[in-house]
Amino acid sequence: ICLMAAPGKVAAFRLPPLPTVGEIIKLFRLKALKQLSQNFLLDLRLTDKIVKQAGELKNAHVCEVGPGPGGITRSILSTGVEQLLLIEKDARFIPGLQMLSEAAPGKVRIVHGDILTYKMEKAFPKHLKKDWEDEPPDIHIIGNLPFSLSTPLIIKWLENVSKKDGPFTYGRTQMTLTFQKEVGERLTANPGSNQCSRLSIMAQHLCTVENCFIIPGQAFVPKPEVDVAVVHFTPLVQPKIQQPFELVEKVVRSVFQFRRKYCFRGIETLFPENERLKRTEQLMMTADVDPTLRPFQLSMSQFRNLCNAYRKMCDEDPSLFVFNYREELRQKKTTRSLLGSTGQPEQTEEENQL
């Protein structure tokens, strides 16, 4: 469903007097739904601060994800954007957003839909496209994301960055998004530090990632149990690991399978049981990685070496890439249950952890 305000340009844009965000919540009887992990941000000083992290937005095209009652929406419109696309899944918020659309004639387009399935490659005018090597296009994505959506959505967008599709069809589109503080810290943790995780490597090998500032939980309604981080992403011209997204994701996920163990334990899960030891030794020697390092101690260049070495092994034996360690575990478990109690060992700690 697309709703467009009547065309019209405003030279020096300023929103007319409107009900406050709090009044709109009361007017339309809006309530944050816990099952959707919704939290409203009503303080316009904070919404202005979030929008400021996106950079210069005057005459820019912006997509806001999950605008809800429209706090950040007002701050975006106040910067004098050329066009604002609002993607909102929850139909309860549409009437309040329409009110904002009418207050900003010709500037707002509302899409009632799911950002995970919305075709972002058609969201903006074609003339905004830039080559990947150029400066980022005049397009920005901004969103106060529900906690349940933030991680799957950033992984999806990182895959889009890698493939230069979706919102990155237009070039190195920048993003300013909110995450739980802990997730924000993982996204920006330096490789080799204690907080380094799968998210750290996946994000930083593709983007410059900046943890802008922290919003205390009490600023939101209802108050979440955690604080919130505002994180800014700018895609890199060249990824730090030049391999397909799926391959990098598989290697990095495997390495972090057993975070507290030596890294070779996770790397073993890349290979079938009958050749696990030999293949793991081969990979680690080729990549020149110390097998007794913990996963979070590996540097970005070591992850790059592992991915490059694994790619070479997959090119020589294509069955390796489709091997699934969890599926192997499931089959072993099924075999055990069919055989009954025949003195087979119980599940290992690693199987339980997986």
Side-chain angles (χ1 to χ4, degrees):
I1 304 166
C2 255
L3 308 158
M4 190 80 175
K9 297 269 181 177
V10 183
F13 185 76
R14 191 170 180 176
L15 281 171
L18 285 165
T20 65
V21 180
E23 286 166 348
I24 282 184
I25 288 170
K26 284 180 185 172
L27 180 66
F28 294 106
R29 297 180 181 177
L30 302 173
K31 187 179 178 183
L33 298 180
K34 193 172 182 181
Q35 64 267 34
L36 297 179
S37 62
Q38 291 174 338
N39 303 94
F40 302 152
L41 189 55
L42 309 185
D43 187 338
L44 292 184
R45 288 169 303 179
L46 282 172
T47 59
D48 285 348
K49 194 175 176 184
I50 291 171
V51 170
K52 195 175 179 182
Q53 303 307 315
E56 179 57 59
L57 296 184
K58 188 170 175 59
N59 300 323
H61 287 247
V62 177
C63 171
E64 186 189 354
V65 183
I72 292 177
T73 313
R74 293 176 188 227
S75 295
I76 296 170
L77 286 170
S78 296
T79 65
V81 293
E82 177 72 22
Q83 193 73 212
L84 174 56
L85 168 65
L86 304 175
I87 301 176
E88 179 54 68
K89 186 178 180 181
D90 192 333
R92 297 174 306 141
F93 296 120
I94 300 297
L97 295 174
Q98 280 180 292
M99 188 182 287
L100 281 174
S101 175
E102 287 158 12
K107 285 187 176 286
V108 180
R109 186 157 54 103
I110 303 170
V111 172
H112 177 208
D114 188 342
I115 188 62
L116 287 170
T117 55
Y118 182 70
K119 301 291 184 190
M120 288 286 283
E121 57 270 20
K122 296 178 181 176
F124 306 104
K126 288 181 181 178
H127 71 81
L128 295 172
K129 285 189 179 184
K130 288 201 174 183
D131 290 337
W132 196 258
E133 295 74 23
D134 291 344
E135 286 297 302
D138 221 1
I139 295 171
H140 300 261
I141 297 172
I142 300 175
N144 173 29
L145 306 175
F147 294 153
S148 59
L149 176 68
S150 59
T151 303
L153 185 56
I154 195 58
I155 289 291
K156 172 185 161 64
W157 276 340
L158 289 171
E159 183 172 2
N160 290 146
V161 171
S162 176
K163 296 177 178 177
K164 300 177 185 174
D165 60 12
F168 308 98
T169 304
Y170 300 87
R172 296 185 297 120
T173 301
Q174 297 179 82
M175 304 181 284
T176 306
L177 307 167
T178 61
F179 298 88
Q180 287 185 47
K181 182 184 174 188
E182 183 189 336
V183 177
E185 287 171 347
R186 289 209 303 265
L187 281 163
T188 55
N190 292 325
S193 74
N194 280 338
Q195 284 183 301
C196 184
S197 68
R198 176 177 73 112
L199 263 183
S200 319
I201 303 301
M202 295 309 297
Q204 292 173 45
H205 106 83
L206 290 163
C207 298
T208 299
V209 190
E210 181 190 355
N211 198 335
C212 304
F213 66 97
I214 302 297
I215 305 174
Q218 62 259 32
F220 293 85
V221 179
K223 176 183 176 294
E225 293 176 6
V226 294
D227 294 337
V228 172
V230 177
V231 183
H232 184 76
F233 301 81
T234 305
L236 294 165
V237 173
Q238 288 290 345
K240 291 176 182 171
I241 304 172
Q242 298 200 22
Q243 294 295 349
F245 182 87
E246 292 82 0
L247 185 141
V248 178
E249 213 268 339
K250 184 179 183 184
V251 171
V252 174
R253 187 178 65 240
S254 297
V255 170
F256 281 102
Q257 291 266 22
F258 308 114
R259 183 179 174 79
R260 296 186 189 90
K261 296 184 180 292
Y262 293 143
C263 64
F264 81 86
R265 278 299 296 113
I267 290 168
E268 284 182 330
T269 65
L270 290 167
F271 306 109
E273 190 173 31
N274 60 347
E275 51 192 43
R276 187 159 291 152
L277 186 62
K278 178 187 167 188
R279 294 275 202 176
T280 303
E281 284 179 357
Q282 180 190 345
L283 177 61
M284 304 218 69
M285 283 181 68
T286 307
D288 192 23
V289 173
D290 179 350
T292 62
L293 289 172
R294 311 285 178 187
F296 57 85
Q297 293 176 310
L298 298 184
S299 67
M300 185 66 79
S301 61
Q302 287 171 316
F303 275 105
R304 180 171 60 242
N305 292 349
L306 286 169
C307 290
N308 291 343
Y310 181 63
R311 169 66 184 269
K312 193 176 176 187
M313 294 170 82
C314 290
D315 287 345
E316 291 166 0
D317 179 3
S319 69
L320 270 186
F321 188 68
V322 295
F323 168 72
N324 186 315
Y325 180 67
R326 289 168 186 263
E327 187 56 41
E328 184 185 76
L329 284 184
R330 274 194 290 270
Q331 288 175 2
K332 282 169 70 177
K333 193 174 179 181
T334 304
T335 306
R336 273 203 296 263
S337 62
L338 287 172
L339 290 171
S341 184
T342 56
Q344 289 271 12
E346 291 295 311
Q347 276 186 273
T348 64
E349 181 193 345
E350 284 85 357
E351 288 175 323
N352 284 326
Q353 193 174 330
L354 283 163

